[in-house]
Amino acid sequence: MARVTFREERCKGCELCIAVCPEKIIVLAEHINAMGFHPATVVEQEKCKGCAMCARMCPDVVIEVEREVAEA
Amino acid sequence: MMKKVFTRPKALTDKPFHYCPGCTHGIIHRLVAEVIDELGVADNTVGVCPVGCSVFAYNYFNVDMFQASHGRAPAVATGIKRSLPDRVVFTYQGDGDLASIGTAEIIHAAARSEKFTTIFVNNAVYGMTGGQMAPTTLLGQKTTTTPKGRDKEQAGFPVKVAEMLSTLDGAAYVARVSVHNPTHVNKAKKAIKKAFEVQISGQGFALVEVLSTCPTNWGMPPNEALKWLEENMIPYYPLGIYKEPAEVK
Amino acid sequence: MSKILMKGNEAIGEGAIRAGCRHFFGYPITPQSELPHYLAKRMPEIGGVFLQAESEVSAINMVYGAAGAGMRVMTSSSSPGLSLMQEGISYLVGAELPCVIVNIMRGGPGLGNIAPAQSDYFQSTKGGGHGDYKLITLAPESVQEIIDLMAKAFDLGDQYRTPVMLLGDGILGQMMEPVELGEIQEVKQAAKPWAATGMRGRGKPNIINSLYIDPEDCENINKKLFAKYAQIAAKEQMWEEYQLEGAEIVLTAYGTAARICKSAVDKARAKGIKAGLIRPITLWPFPGSVIARAAETAKCFLTVEMSMGQMVEDVRLAVNGTCPVYFYGRTGGVVPLVSDVLAEIEKLVDGGDRE
Ligand SMILES: Cc1ncc(C[n+]2csc(CCOP(=O)(O)OP(=O)(O)O)c2C)c(N)n1
Ligand code: SF4
Ligand code: SF4
Ligand code: SF4
């Protein structure tokens, strides 16, 4: 189980996250945000591996990633 | 239990970056902030930002900051570090700033082995002023002041900063990294962390050259810019650690 | 306390140390070199920092770093070096950082020579770098006065958060005179809560900056600076009056030229000529009020400078047409002789007003 969240209002639609997602589950939304960009969004959340590749490449620190981890 | 495995570093303020879409200045800012967090030094750090696209970096790093005149960040950092030797001091500079107008300052800071860390962002162009030729512009690369591509007869050769500075005895740690994919982003972060550790352990001057994109002035979409960086910049600017103190090896 | 013999340049160094300055950054240039030589020896003895920079450009930016970190810091140079520092001085002004900048002037323009001159008056008092600003500029005439003014320079800088210039020339720098140093005392320095020193629990970053991207913000910082300058102009004018009582011919001169003028005034008085001298000690703020007052009773003014005539413009502004203002100067490193100045004074008496 993993979850990615996008701070949509900060996304500049640069698509760097889209290119690196191994599951190809990130797309640009149809709508535009307050800055005038089509923000990135995840379509099939359940396929997310929590690898954080998207977040690592995002130049605007839009993405947060949570992942199921074994209780310490 | 769900746990945050990737979140905004505390050493960044919440202010959105002003950089163009896909500009890797943002990735490099985040890496510096992550390193500051991991080393737990935010309260003891003083940063110096340059003149260039990253001139507003003082709004983004959640630490005490100076804004320096064009090219002089290493001199400003010298003044700070010599005043407050127990603080962690870093400069963040572009290639016009560091490798053109500020060449004297960076060379002599390295030669004196000033105990601060420099993050050198090489995007092969002057971003802020409108895509003019930088000292690091590749041969043949088109810019607004080399409209037919940089010609060595007219404009000479690109400056290889990491190689040049690593010849100085005072430079303790010099590396060149890139941020064109997640693997390299990880490697870049490791190098930046080492560069801070070298400073903190008092071993001397440390610099990380980070190959970076300027999609706007290169005139290409951000993902294409990453590819252009990989295919054109890395062959001319080989990645790797150019200098490292024995203790850190 | 007994007096000791000291060179002017060394006195600047010792005066700075006694004023609590522990950081010096500079690049070698004649005729101020005795100052860095002195501090290279002296700073390590007292746990201070002496650093030879790679250029004057770097030196002034090191000053920017140390000043922003809250230190009492100084740099020193001579005319061509000051030209190189101007961008950095403008940044120091814009970021409201205190520091002391010494200019031991030499002949110019260009490489000029290493002989004493006063031709950087405009550069020092009228801005020098880009933007709207003023620099407090102090002009001592003796080694003792250097010592006294160094403490004043650092205090004024801290009080008003502004760079302060100490303006001298090669003669003053090389001159040996007996000085009273007094005990080294712990200097009380104002707290600098604005300094960027690492947050250390402050919770909010301090930023040293002169970038105001919004024109309204930039205009406001200019207004803030000028409100400060108005205060400085009202409170901080310093000058010396010499034989001014009943003077019909009022000389104005500063630094080395003022010493020459004092001798000329003495000689003129011995000949029964009513000459006197106003010696500005602060070149900015310019002591215009005392000059305006003297103009009410004087027949004429004679400004003497080691330049083609720079301060004379401020004298004329202060006199404001009340009486004629004449000028005598030698430049390019040539120093006027007492006899030359006396001859000028005598011409004015004979002719009433020349030209
Ligand atoms: C003394 C001075 N000269 C020129 C400039 C104009 N200027 C501003 S940024 C810049 C170039 C910055 O390019 P670089 O360092 O490569 O940084 P980038 O914008 O690409 O991140 C120049 C020439 C200036 N501000 N000050
Ligand atoms: S965390 Fe990995 S799998 Fe999930 S969206 Fe990001 S890149 Fe794709
Ligand atoms: S990398 Fe960041 S800014 Fe770019 S599209 Fe993805 S979420 Fe948006
Ligand atoms: S101009 Fe280039 S370097 Fe500057 S923010 Fe835009 S993409 Fe980045």
Side-chain angles (χ1 to χ4, degrees):
Chain A
M1 255 284 277
R3 185 163 59 227
V4 283
T5 22
F6 290 73
R7 285 174 85 178
E8 186 186 298
E9 73 284 3
R10 292 179 173 235
C11 174
K12 294 177 185 159
C14 72
E15 304 189 7
L16 295 193
C17 54
I18 296 179
V20 294
C21 174
E23 302 300 318
K24 301 285 167 223
I25 54 175
I26 311 174
V27 295
L28 291 190
E30 292 288 329
H31 66 278
I32 55 169
N33 64 12
M35 289 192 294
F37 298 113
H38 291 282
T41 183
V42 67
V43 280
E44 293 166 278
Q45 182 71 254
E46 62 285 356
K47 284 196 189 165
C48 175
K49 296 278 182 288
C51 66
M53 299 261 229
C54 53
R56 217 156 284 153
M57 284 310 287
C58 176
D60 287 282
V61 208
V62 169
I63 309 170
E64 266 198 359
V65 186
E66 293 166 283
R67 196 168 55 210
E68 193 69 43
V69 287
E71 212 86 32
Chain B
M1 190 187 68
M2 288 286 265
K3 212 180 147 209
K4 281 196 176 142
V5 291
F6 195 101
T7 186
R8 189 180 186 82
K10 291 196 171 54
L12 284 182
T13 64
D14 204 43
K15 214 171 165 72
F17 296 149
H18 70 284
Y19 300 109
C20 304
C23 172
T24 46
H25 262 305
I27 300 182
I28 303 165
H29 277 32
R30 195 194 72 230
L31 295 181
V32 171
E34 287 175 357
V35 165
I36 290 172
D37 280 359
E38 284 174 24
L39 295 171
V41 293
D43 231 23
N44 207 34
T45 295
V46 183
V48 185
C49 56
V51 174
C53 281
S54 46
V55 67
F56 292 116
Y58 58 79
N59 283 326
Y60 308 138
F61 290 110
N62 205 2
V63 302
D64 277 8
M65 292 291 294
F66 281 69
Q67 198 292 309
S69 57
H70 196 20
R72 320 302 172 200
V76 174
T78 297
I80 301 165
K81 190 73 183 193
R82 297 282 180 139
S83 298
L84 304 166
D86 61 341
R87 308 306 201 269
V88 179
V89 178
F90 75 92
T91 72
Y92 186 104
Q93 302 177 255
D95 43 28
D97 194 79
L98 182 142
S100 188
I101 195 169
T103 345
E105 282 74 12
I106 197 66
I107 287 178
H108 290 280
R112 288 191 305 266
S113 208
E114 295 293 342
K115 293 175 187 63
F116 64 79
T117 301
T118 291
I119 309 301
F120 166 47
V121 179
N122 177 356
N123 61 9
V125 78
Y126 281 19
M128 189 189 214
T129 39
Q132 296 87 356
M133 180 184 72
T136 47
T137 292
L138 297 173
L139 291 180
Q141 185 184 339
K142 284 189 176 151
T143 70
T144 49
T145 49
T146 55
K148 293 184 171 161
R150 183 176 186 161
D151 168 16
K152 65 180 186 325
E153 298 302 328
Q154 199 262 343
F157 295 88
V159 177
K160 296 181 173 180
V161 169
E163 287 85 339
M164 179 173 75
L165 292 182
S166 62
T167 65
L168 297 171
D169 291 339
Y173 180 81
V174 180
R176 184 185 287 122
V177 296
S178 172
V179 289
H180 65 283
N181 67 33
T183 313
H184 280 277
V185 168
N186 280 348
K187 282 190 183 164
K189 180 172 166 185
K190 283 204 184 96
I192 291 170
K193 192 165 182 181
K194 252 187 198 171
F196 273 84
E197 284 166 349
V198 164
Q199 172 188 175
I200 291 165
S201 57
Q203 294 176 95
F205 178 78
L207 175 138
V208 181
E209 174 172 344
V210 189
L211 303 185
S212 185
T213 63
C214 177
T216 301
N217 288 301
W218 294 0
M220 46 184 98
N223 274 308
E224 227 174 274
L226 293 179
K227 198 156 163 270
W228 190 88
L229 183 163
E230 184 177 12
E231 290 172 358
N232 297 277
M233 288 182 76
I234 294 178
Y236 195 84
Y237 297 115
L239 306 181
I241 295 168
Y242 285 80
K243 195 139 182 218
E244 194 174 17
E247 296 90 316
V248 210
K249 265 186 189 144
Chain C
M1 261 315 268
S2 61
K3 293 197 170 190
I4 61 161
L5 266 182
M6 251 190 153
K7 265 194 178 182
N9 281 332
E10 296 173 346
I12 297 172
E14 191 56 37
I17 285 170
R18 280 154 195 268
C21 170
R22 293 293 178 273
H23 294 80
F24 177 89
F25 304 94
Y27 186 80
I29 186 169
T30 312
Q32 59 83 58
S33 291
E34 294 82 3
L35 168 54
H37 297 175
Y38 184 80
L39 288 177
K41 213 167 52 214
R42 197 71 175 89
M43 278 299 190
E45 288 172 4
I46 50 163
V49 171
F50 169 89
L51 188 64
Q52 181 169 324
E54 57 271 26
S55 69
E56 290 86 352
V57 175
S58 295
I60 196 71
N61 282 285
M62 290 171 183
V63 166
Y64 181 87
M71 302 297 143
R72 281 199 159 179
V73 56
M74 177 168 84
T75 186
S76 161
S77 188
S78 179
S79 309
L82 262 294
S83 293
L84 273 181
M85 288 186 190
Q86 293 304 325
E87 184 199 26
I89 295 173
S90 175
Y91 271 66
L92 283 154
V93 169
E96 295 190 87
L97 295 182
C99 66
V100 173
I101 301 158
V102 178
N103 181 4
I104 301 299
M105 293 178 281
R106 55 188 253 180
L111 190 51
N113 56 35
I114 58 170
Q118 293 185 324
S119 38
D120 302 346
Y121 177 93
F122 284 152
Q123 188 195 51
S124 314
T125 61
K126 308 286 176 189
H130 58 287
D132 269 340
Y133 71 90
K134 312 267 186 199
L135 275 193
I136 296 178
T137 304
L138 307 177
E141 60 145 18
S142 68
V143 181
Q144 183 65 54
E145 195 174 38
I146 287 173
I147 294 282
D148 302 337
L149 284 183
M150 285 316 290
K152 183 86 184 164
F154 282 99
D155 286 344
L156 287 171
D158 282 356
Q159 184 184 345
Y160 294 104
R161 284 190 64 180
T162 180
V164 175
M165 173 83 73
L166 188 94
L167 196 62
D169 60 66
I171 292 182
L172 188 69
Q174 307 292 326
M175 186 160 58
M176 276 260 205
E177 281 184 327
V179 288
E180 176 94 54
L181 283 174
E183 300 290 329
I184 292 200
Q185 283 168 356
E186 192 63 42
V187 180
K188 243 187 94 201
Q189 294 184 30
K192 296 177 178 173
W194 45 264
T197 56
M199 290 190 286
R200 308 219 142 186
R202 198 191 310 120
K204 198 179 150 281
N206 280 345
I207 296 168
I208 302 297
N209 179 34
S210 65
L211 173 60
Y212 306 93
I213 200 80
D214 177 347
E216 303 258 328
D217 291 346
C218 198
E219 186 182 47
N220 285 335
I221 188 74
N222 274 281
K223 285 182 178 162
K224 183 180 170 204
L225 289 178
F226 273 73
K228 192 160 81 175
Y229 296 154
Q231 235 184 41
I232 296 171
K235 287 192 200 155
E236 308 296 351
Q237 293 179 23
M238 289 166 68
W239 68 88
E240 182 195 353
E241 297 173 15
Y242 186 77
Q243 303 271 33
L244 200 57
E245 199 54 43
E248 291 175 351
I249 300 176
V250 178
L251 277 68
T252 50
Y254 68 95
T256 295
R259 286 173 76 117
I260 295 161
C261 285
K262 281 183 179 172
S263 300
V265 165
D266 289 345
K267 290 214 154 77
R269 287 270 176 181
K271 290 185 169 191
I273 303 169
K274 286 182 180 165
L277 168 74
I278 297 173
R279 176 174 72 91
I281 298 172
T282 52
L283 301 184
W284 192 86
F286 188 71
S289 46
V290 63
I291 288 174
R293 235 178 296 131
E296 286 165 13
T297 52
K299 284 201 172 122
C300 66
F301 273 64
L302 173 66
T303 297
V304 179
E305 296 179 64
M306 284 144 63
S307 78
M308 292 301 284
Q310 300 191 8
M311 184 178 78
V312 64
E313 293 191 2
D314 285 334
V315 176
R316 287 196 174 119
L317 277 174
V319 169
N320 200 18
T322 307
C323 64
V325 177
Y326 300 108
F327 174 74
Y328 178 71
R330 298 299 302 270
T331 194
V334 182
V335 179
L337 300 174
V338 174
S339 54
D340 296 338
V341 177
L342 183 62
E344 288 299 309
I345 295 171
E346 286 175 328
K347 260 195 258 173
L348 293 177
V349 179
D350 293 345
D353 51 345
R354 309 177 299 180
E355 283 145 330

